Amino acid sequence: YILRSYVYQKQNRRTPRSANTSSSLAAKLAVPFTLYLGLSLLRAVDLAMTNLAMQFINYPAKTLMKSSRVVFTMIFGVFITHKRYKMIDYAIVLCMVIGLAVFM
């Protein structure tokens, strides 16, 4: 989502708007290869650093941290991408957070 928005903004600044460019704009929205390369390198470094950090904690804590990833994904979705979730999804995440807090 963020990458697509970035490319859309960059390409909108370069080309003036006209009435008939809406259909051709979708065809022109191509993400440059260098952005994909940079993001994949950052992701690889992120994975390596995460694995290095996880060496120093025990297995139950590691499992709990990995299972709480859903919470951060939902927070990102609500505040950054303005995604709407059903109330049952919020209830499930709340129960998961309570369970994680009790277990810790």
Side-chain angles (χ1 to χ4, degrees):
Y1 174 79
I2 295 173
L3 184 62
R4 192 171 15 138
S5 299
Y6 172 78
V7 170
Y8 180 75
Q9 288 174 358
K10 284 283 191 181
Q11 290 181 353
N12 257 355
R13 288 186 200 147
R14 288 188 213 149
T15 58
R17 289 184 177 233
S18 65
N20 60 0
T21 60
S22 62
S23 63
S24 65
L25 185 61
K28 290 181 185 178
L29 283 180
V31 179
F33 178 74
T34 55
L35 285 178
Y36 277 120
L37 183 64
L39 286 174
S40 63
L41 288 174
L42 284 174
R43 181 67 184 125
V45 169
D46 172 48
L47 184 63
M49 294 297 158
T50 300
N51 288 337
L52 285 173
M54 291 290 182
Q55 289 177 353
F56 301 105
I57 61 173
N58 58 8
Y59 182 75
K62 188 185 307 186
T63 305
L64 286 173
M65 281 193 259
K66 286 185 177 184
S67 66
S68 66
R69 187 177 300 168
V70 176
V71 176
F72 297 111
T73 303
M74 184 176 262
I75 291 171
F76 178 81
V78 169
F79 290 114
I80 304 297
T81 63
H82 304 290
K83 187 172 181 179
R84 298 282 181 171
Y85 294 100
K86 296 178 183 176
M87 282 306 266
I88 189 73
D89 294 330
Y90 290 113
I92 289 169
V93 169
L94 180 65
C95 288
M96 192 172 77
V97 167
I98 291 169
L100 290 173
V102 168
F103 189 73
M104 288 293 258

